[in-house]
Amino acid sequence: MSLSMSRAEREEFLAGLHVGVLAVASPDDRGPLAAPVWYTYRPGGTVNVSTGHGTRKALAIAAAGRFSLCAQDERPPYKYVTVEGPAVLEEATDAYIAANPGGAQVMIRMTPEHWLSRAYSDG
């Protein structure tokens, strides 16, 4: 029995409400950055994350040109989806995001290229 999800299953799972863990190579002498983030995704689309313009996340993604995101459900039966791909940073134009306290925001859009998924059964 395969533990991998089908394309439709993994896209549906990723589109659900989860806190994702974003991971990106660091452009300095520090280790890779891993941080919890809220994200949005629609099947067949991009993974979208908003953050402050000068944050370590934004700077690292701009330097690396890509990032990974892992979303999980730790409740039995345990499931997770990890996706990785190239990313672009855009100035936030959405009124809600642009009005976010803490300064200028950027929208980071990642095009999924590589997927890894697991869905464990109750049995």
Side-chain angles (χ1 to χ4, degrees), residues 29-107:
D29 61 352
R30 297 167 76 174
L33 171 65
V37 295
W38 288 108
Y39 70 92
T40 60
Y41 175 74
R42 289 188 183 176
T46 58
V47 174
N48 308 299
V49 175
S50 66
T51 191
H53 190 273
T55 63
R56 187 169 173 220
K57 286 188 293 259
L59 297 173
I61 292 169
R66 60 193 315 110
F67 71 94
S68 298
L69 182 98
C70 180
Q72 70 171 9
D73 185 348
E74 67 280 354
R75 296 169 298 171
Y78 178 71
K79 297 178 186 176
Y80 72 87
V81 169
T82 299
V83 62
E84 183 265 330
V88 296
L89 283 74
E90 304 170 352
E91 294 300 319
T93 57
D94 180 273
Y96 174 79
I97 294 171
N100 192 352
Q105 297 285 302
V106 292
M107 179 61 73

Side-chain angles (χ1 to χ4, degrees), residues 96-120:
Y96 174 79
I97 294 171
N100 192 352
Q105 297 285 302
V106 292
M107 179 61 73
I108 303 166
R109 300 187 191 282
M110 182 250 284
T111 302
E113 276 187 346
H114 305 287
W115 295 78
L116 178 63
S117 62
R118 293 290 181 265
Y120 298 91

